[in-house]
Amino acid sequence: MVFSSLIFLFFFLPILLALYFAVPNKYKNAVLIIFSLLFYSYGEPVYVLIMIFSTIVDYTVGRLVEWARNRNKNTKVYLAISLIVNLSLLGIFKYGDFAITNINGLIGGTIPLMGLSLPIGISFYTFQTMSYSIDVYRGRVEAQRSFSDLLLYTSLFPQLVAGPIVRYSTIAEQINDRTVTLASFSDGFCKFVCGLSKKILIANSLASVADYVFGQTVADTAVATAWLGIIAYTFQIYFDFSGYSDMAIGLGKMFGFDFEINFNYPYISSSISEFWRRWHMSLGSWFRDYLYFPLGGSRVGKLRLIFNLLVVWGLTGLWHGASWNFVLWGLLFFVCIATEKLSGINTKKYNPLGNVLTMLIVMLGWVFFRADTLTYAWDYIKNMFGQVGTKLYDYDSIYYFWQKLDVYILAFICSLPVLPYISKKLKNKIVTRGFNIITQIACIVLFAICVIFLVNDSYNPFIYFRF
Amino acid sequence: MKKISTLTIISVIFIITVLFLIIPDRDISQMENRTLAQMPKFTLSSYFDGTFKTQFEEYIADQFPFRDELLKAYKKLTVKKSSIPGSEFKQIIEGEDGYNYYIYDENQILKVYASKKKREDAIKWADKINEVAGLCNREDVLLMLNFVPSKSESLNDMLPVGADENKDSVLTEIIYDNISTNVKIIDTMGEFEKIPLTDKTEMYYHTDHHWNALGSYQGFEIMCDYLREFGFDADSDGFTVYPIEQDYMIGSYNRALGDIYPSTEKLEYYMPEDLSVFDGLVTENLAGEIQLSNIYATTQIGENVSYATLYMNDTDYLHLHNDNAKNDESICIIKDSFFDALVPQLSLIYKDVYVVDTRYYSDFVLEEFIKEYDIDNLMLFYSTTALVKTDEMLTYDIWEK
């Protein structure tokens, strides 16, 4: 089930709200677990068992680690079980056929493909459950004694299928001790509507441009159209994913959970390092804390640093999908970040030229991300720079420019921290109040428009669902 | 303030949910011209194989309260009124069918085929036509090919900059270059090309992709000229206009745009002045005998006039037998909906007219049909809109298996 659907907005959500706020506190978690499992099993009626299995394994591992620690016994073996099981699940379902295809290609073999479909959200929830086991092993959190409480953490529907990757430590206390006030519920709901609008009004609108352009052969795509296509995709993926994160964070807040932000205006970054501090922050910090730092981080020699970065960014690419496109996409960032780190460029101070260069690299990266094959991606990039011999512009360029101009402008403005800037600058109470009234009227209007769009076209999957 | 907006929206959500549950489900949508999804039956197998989920979501979307109003609101919201200096762009709207529609003015909507015409489509058509030609050669059947220009093709000069380069004639030229010389071409496209643009704007419905009565009559005149060249007795004289009192029709373009451009159309038929020429005409479809008033669909016209209700709805098979026809021969027409406006006229020329729409005639095998009905002539009659629907149009078999 997706948040931006009529069934979620007008059936799942109202029924859940009515039940959740009607039952006494001691049953609220049970209601959330049942609805979370319903939410997931609606799209994955069988694979829900994998998610429950993963939770059982990590629950058991957590208890065993504490048991072993209290008896001064080796705890590593239990952590290893968690890592092996979770990574095996990921390996089999996500990378199995990719590995077989490559092995067949290398040795000329004919090993049959498994043909397994990817369980939705497996990359997210396996990383969450692994973070739980690792944190218990490190002694940063206590093992959860109640299986149902750990199941609530794993299955909590707002963040289950496309993040953010919420660490157990972030919400451990809130599982059994949280309050929802009308004010916090409203904050959460407005955040949800904000995310819904990002997804439906911007991401979906620009998806039609990106889908059309990337559906053409490169030879049929004019230079200007190729640029429009990748600009559209650049905005689409940001508003699609950050919209989902906003909805997840908002829904979490409506039920008393505080998730950390996942995006912080990444397109204003002046360097690739900064971009990754602002883009999919929960993934970046996961790799930092559970892979990069254990490898030694930056406080090592240059060669070791390069190795560490290569491992982290190769795996970051691979996390996004079982395809060489994603690996190459990750390695592009490895090269950029290694260069920035080794050259000592100040990646924290804003500079316009750095911003332009960063965005150019990010956009080239998105070509690999969006294209079906490496060959297509390479040809597409050549076409962007007029190296394929296509027309400079054609009807598609003119049409998609003017037709979506308002959405491009809206997307551009919303990519900048305009609203936080205005809020910060407002000193006068009356003006501030007026500004708040306008944003709340906008919230109602945006919700109404989103419903109108949803009735017209109820099919709008999220890009990050396939990861 | 956040509390007020939140409570407002949450209240609306609950009200809509309740309305959904109490408002009776609708069977059809007049606006969308289709049947609406009904509540699917829940079974464990449909749940596990995902069909229940898909059908349930279709049901929710189709039966959503105020669906028609919301669809119209969507179209109004998404209409772009670009006024770019020096640009011919007026308004372009994406229709519910995914195509782009160019609103030239309130009375003239054109479809823009954004996707590039593909040479491989033309080759597929040419290959199919050559297969048919081979069969006709063997069975001693005269094969004729008649491509009628689509509205966007005819009024191409009205399309915005750039879009006018994407012509259907790119495909027809490839087809003509690659088909057997045995195929007799009725060049309606070429003849229409000679007609001034202002005249051509009156030959198509303003909010629909079909030609209107005048356009189809012009097409009939051209066809008669060619048929005479091929040695048949054919003439288009003696026809007159029979106006229809209705002046509003739901055009296919307007339907795709949520019916937001109601426009008046000149609705009429071109029929023989002397209707007695149809005396003795026997018409049947697969269900049995039907009347002339079903073909010139004077008995079907209700409030919701469309091209389909003006003539017969697209039908799999139709046979017209006219003992008073000018030629004592049979003809089979494999066609798309443009031919619907010419069905009765052709029965004045050929004694037996068999009309086949292969999109609806499942298991149609041409060789079998030619032999069974003793076909003397075969005409492939398509509008050029069909050329971008290759997979839909060319599914029929030529040979018996």
Side-chain angles (χ1 to χ4, degrees), chain A residues 16-313:
Chain A
L16 171 60
L17 287 174
L19 272 176
Y20 183 83
F21 288 106
V23 299
N25 279 345
K26 62 179 175 178
Y27 298 123
K28 287 191 191 302
N29 280 358
V31 170
L32 273 183
I33 291 172
I34 292 167
F35 274 76
S36 293
L37 293 177
L38 277 175
F39 178 88
Y40 189 76
S41 60
Y42 179 76
E44 296 283 18
V46 177
Y47 283 165
V48 68
L49 297 174
I50 295 173
M51 194 255 292
I52 294 171
F53 170 71
S54 175
T55 311
I56 290 171
V57 169
D58 286 283
Y59 172 75
T60 312
V61 162
R63 296 298 302 274
L64 286 172
V65 165
E66 274 202 348
W67 176 84
R69 183 181 296 133
N70 291 339
R71 285 159 183 74
N72 288 322
K73 291 188 174 176
N74 187 1
T75 53
K76 268 186 188 165
V77 63
Y78 301 113
L79 176 66
I81 291 171
S82 165
L83 298 182
I84 289 168
V85 170
N86 281 303
L87 292 175
S88 298
L89 286 176
L90 208 52
I92 291 167
F93 285 97
K94 188 166 180 175
Y95 303 106
D97 281 345
F98 176 62
I100 292 171
T101 307
N102 281 288
I103 290 167
N104 282 343
L106 273 175
I107 63 169
T110 53
I111 307 168
L113 298 179
M114 294 186 289
L116 294 170
S117 60
L118 182 70
I120 295 172
I122 191 169
S123 307
F124 290 93
Y125 67 70
T126 48
F127 268 43
Q128 292 193 169
T129 52
M130 277 197 294
S131 81
Y132 165 74
S133 293
I134 296 170
D135 283 350
V136 171
Y137 167 79
R138 287 174 175 175
R140 289 186 183 164
V141 293
E142 285 182 17
Q144 177 56 257
R145 310 226 166 269
S146 158
F147 174 72
S148 63
D149 285 354
L150 191 67
L151 182 61
L152 174 63
Y153 159 67
T154 318
S155 66
L156 195 58
F157 77 91
Q159 43 76 40
L160 174 60
V161 291
I165 299 170
V166 178
R167 294 193 204 178
Y168 177 74
S169 55
T170 308
I171 62 163
E173 288 180 10
Q174 295 160 14
I175 289 174
N176 283 312
D177 182 19
R178 58 184 188 274
T179 49
V180 182
T181 62
L182 183 56
S184 67
F185 181 88
S186 304
D187 280 346
F189 190 74
C190 290
K191 186 87 175 165
F192 175 80
V193 173
C194 173
L196 187 69
S197 309
K198 279 181 171 181
K199 163 68 181 162
I200 293 175
L201 305 183
I202 301 179
N204 285 4
S205 287
L206 294 178
S208 61
V209 183
D211 289 349
Y212 174 76
V213 177
F214 280 88
Q216 301 291 305
T217 61
V218 170
D220 277 337
T221 308
V223 174
T225 310
W227 277 99
L228 277 178
I230 196 55
I231 290 170
Y233 188 69
T234 299
F235 284 131
Q236 183 204 350
I237 194 166
Y238 170 56
F239 287 101
D240 189 284
F241 194 19
S242 74
Y244 189 92
S245 292
D246 285 351
M247 284 188 266
I249 292 166
L251 283 165
K253 208 168 181 61
M254 287 162 69
F255 294 99
F257 293 96
D258 289 318
F259 303 153
E260 289 172 2
I261 62 165
N262 209 20
F263 289 86
N264 185 21
Y265 301 100
Y267 291 160
I268 63 167
S269 304
S270 300
S271 66
I272 295 299
S273 304
E274 185 185 1
F275 173 78
W276 275 101
R277 287 196 294 271
R278 292 172 175 275
W279 177 276
H280 201 175
M281 296 154 78
S282 60
L283 179 72
S285 65
W286 197 99
F287 272 110
R288 183 195 62 207
D289 294 345
Y290 297 111
L291 184 63
Y292 185 60
F293 285 169
L295 284 171
S298 308
R299 294 174 185 174
V300 288
K302 280 187 181 175
L303 276 178
R304 177 71 194 197
L305 174 64
I306 291 171
F307 172 77
N308 290 351
L309 290 171
L310 180 66
V311 171
V312 168
W313 289 102

Side-chain angles (χ1 to χ4, degrees), chain B residues 283-298:
Chain B
T283 309
E284 60 179 9
N285 60 14
L286 288 175
E289 194 168 324
I290 55 170
Q291 302 300 311
L292 183 64
S293 57
N294 294 115
I295 302 177
Y296 286 124
T298 49

Side-chain angles (χ1 to χ4, degrees), chain A residues 7 9-11 14 41-42 186-187 189 212 391 394-396 398-399 402-403 406 440 447 452 455-456, chain B residues 2-3 5-6 9 13-14 17 47 53 56-57 74 80 84 89 92 100 112 114 116 162-163 165:
Chain A
I7 195 165
L9 291 173
F10 294 97
F11 289 89
S41 60
Y42 179 76
S186 304
D187 280 346
F189 190 74
Y212 174 76
K391 286 181 183 177
D394 62 5
Y395 164 72
D396 291 340
I398 302 169
Y399 170 70
W402 290 116
Q403 177 68 356
D406 49 354
Q440 290 317 299
F447 183 80
I452 290 171
V455 170
N456 180 67
Chain B
K2 264 187 188 174
K3 295 172 191 169
S5 64
T6 299
I9 299 172
I13 288 175
F14 275 94
T17 307
Y47 176 66
K53 175 179 171 256
F56 188 59
E57 283 171 2
Y74 173 80
K80 298 290 194 302
I84 303 121
F89 264 75
I92 291 216
N100 296 323
V112 180
K116 305 283 188 299
E165 295 169 9

